[in-house]
Amino acid sequence: MIPKNIRAQFPILDTQVHGHQLVYLDNAATTQKPLSVVNALSDYYLTLNSNIHRGAHHLAAEATERYEAVRRQVQAFVNARHSHEIVFTRGTTESINLVAASFGRKHIHPGDEVIVSGMEHHSDIVPWQLAGAILRPIPFSDEGVLDLEAYKRLFSDRTRIVAVNHVSNTLGTVNPIREIVEIAHAHSVPVLVDGAQAVSHLAVDVQALDCDFYCFSGHKMYAPMGVGVLYGREDVLGDIPPYQGGGEMISTVSFEHTTYNELPFRFEAGTPSVGDVLGLGAAIDFMLDAGIDAIAAHEADLLAYATERISAVPGIRLFGTAPHKAAVLSFLVGDAHPYDVGTLLDQLGVAVRTGHHCTQPIMDRYGIPGTVRASFAVYNTRSEVDAFVAALERIMPMLQ
Ligand code: 7TS
């Protein structure tokens, strides 16, 4: 069970919007932040602010210790074998770009191929195109389930890496990562997993998944914006060249020759967002206190309830009805444009996202311009689902 006082930890949820109580259902875009995360951020700036790793003084040593402690916390959170397999980045987008650029520089040559899923976010498509790869997308069914038989047929001697999301931000599908990795590894091809939509909803174990890279953003799991994670297995991360050059990523520098620092510092050039990393640590504590399995169970209940209630509304078309889903509900109302639906819902205090959700190939697959998307988090309730469905029913006459 989710603790009863959980909403009290999120003062923003009391906001009034256009004279209505806010119903925040845009969690796949970003979650709200609990007081403990906001406090971790302000405590850092009020009591500890200092640049890390290179100071002889007390504040620098303390800030460094706390920053490195969060690295160990993240290591435990995703069950990585070593803390130096955890690289702090600005978010999922930067994590994927890092791998596409660095792995790409070493391993992707003209004519080489990258297998992605047909339901990737643009941030797991464009970096591979920038790296010069030809993309081979895995098709998916009308329900939003990847076709693994078709996936097996996509491998060729030019396949360099497979890049797939763990959970689709538009369809909610939880993809069978363990199976996808097994098939890729049988071809000696590594796998990058975009976990942006997974980490806040389900327990992630990178060793059990056996993936080579795993990427996620703090801000979608109750942490501040501006911090994210790249997990890379020691052997694959150690094998690729640095991404950005600058301070901290080097061992020695001269005008003739530079040598690079060890993992993970080789991939952390420049001053990192220390306060945001400490906020990420507080967010992990928040999730562990609530209990990952309890969060998953609560969200599964909300999703089942919302799916049942919304399906009863005349004219609703759902997109993404895979048997294994996370708490995302994408839909259209009759022929109404998703943006109109979103704007009218906002007038009643309900915050949803509308559009292509940075997954244009999914929209092309269904032949639609976009969807309306409601996405749930630990603090949402069944009564908010009721308010959302009541708002939909209320705007219905205005959409016809
Ligand atoms: N991958 C997936 C699956 C995502 O859902 C997102 C963001 C990203 C990558 C990029 O994450 P970022 O933190 O680096 O921006 N998805 C969304 C969304 O669905 N609505 O707004 C952002």
Side-chain angles (χ1 to χ4, degrees), residues 55-387:
H57 60 85
H58 169 76
L59 287 182
E62 184 66 22
T64 304
E65 174 45 40
R66 301 263 206 100
Y67 178 88
E68 290 304 325
V70 177
R71 201 190 302 278
R72 294 190 292 275
Q73 229 182 326
V74 173
Q75 175 201 352
F77 186 65
V78 299
N79 194 33
R81 204 171 274 113
H82 308 288
S83 64
H84 58 253
E85 294 175 321
I86 303 299
V87 175
F88 289 120
T89 64
R90 284 193 306 121
T92 309
T93 301
E94 189 175 56
S95 299
I96 299 173
N97 274 277
L98 188 164
V99 177
S102 291
F103 178 92
R105 189 148 23 108
K106 181 151 182 187
H107 296 293
I108 299 176
H109 301 107
D112 284 346
E113 299 171 1
V114 171
I115 297 176
V116 293
S117 89
M119 58 177 84
E120 290 313 302
H121 189 276
H122 296 165
S123 61
D124 199 27
I125 296 174
V126 184
W128 304 111
Q129 293 173 328
L130 290 173
I134 298 167
L135 298 189
R136 298 280 182 232
I138 310 168
F140 58 89
S141 69
D142 288 347
E143 293 72 30
V145 177
L146 290 180
D147 181 344
L148 291 190
E149 290 309 311
Y151 165 57
K152 290 176 190 165
R153 292 192 294 271
L154 290 177
F155 285 88
S156 78
D157 58 1
R158 304 304 299 262
T159 309
R160 294 294 167 256
I161 191 167
V162 173
V164 286
N165 60 37
H166 198 167
V167 174
S168 160
N169 64 317
T170 299
L171 303 175
T173 311
V174 179
N175 287 315
I177 297 301
R178 183 69 194 85
E179 220 176 326
I180 287 170
V181 170
E182 226 169 79
I183 292 163
H185 284 181
H187 289 88
S188 303
V189 170
V191 177
L192 173 141
V193 180
D194 170 355
Q197 297 293 344
V199 279
S200 69
H201 302 300
L202 44 95
V204 170
D205 180 334
V206 292
Q207 291 188 64
L209 293 173
D210 199 26
C211 57
D212 300 85
F213 299 104
Y214 196 97
C215 308
F216 56 98
S217 300
H219 73 96
K220 293 183 197 288
M221 51 172 286
Y222 311 102
M225 291 182 174
V227 59
V229 170
L230 168 66
Y231 156 80
R233 214 183 46 243
E234 184 180 42
D235 55 338
V236 285
L237 201 56
D239 172 60
I240 61 177
Y243 176 48
Q244 295 180 324
E248 200 56 38
M249 54 75 71
I250 51 84
S251 184
T252 62
V253 175
S254 73
F255 289 113
E256 292 74 34
H257 186 64
T258 291
T259 57
Y260 304 124
N261 204 341
E262 59 197 24
L263 295 178
F265 310 110
R266 187 189 306 172
F267 293 106
E268 291 182 3
T271 301
S273 197
V274 181
D276 294 322
V277 167
L278 302 197
L280 176 62
I284 291 175
D285 285 339
F286 164 79
M287 287 188 63
L288 296 177
D289 278 352
I292 312 277
D293 291 341
I295 294 173
H298 175 68
E299 292 177 350
D301 174 72
L302 284 178
L303 179 67
Y305 182 63
T307 305
E308 182 190 320
R309 290 236 39 210
I310 203 176
S311 301
V313 177
I316 293 283
R317 253 194 311 162
L318 288 180
F319 295 88
T321 50
H324 196 189
K325 269 189 72 172
V328 170
L329 206 55
S330 257
F331 62 95
L332 284 175
V333 188
D335 294 328
H337 195 279
Y339 185 74
D340 294 339
V341 179
T343 308
L344 289 169
L345 286 176
D346 175 62
Q347 290 301 309
L348 298 173
V350 179
V352 293
R353 189 146 294 247
T354 65
H356 54 60
H357 316 298
C358 297
T359 55
Q360 284 186 11
I362 295 183
M363 303 306 143
D364 294 344
R365 160 75 174 74
Y366 290 111
I368 55 176
T371 71
V372 185
R373 183 188 68 185
S375 52
F376 304 94
V378 62
Y379 39 68
N380 289 125
T381 62
R382 277 188 171 220
S383 60
E384 286 185 312
V385 173
D386 292 337

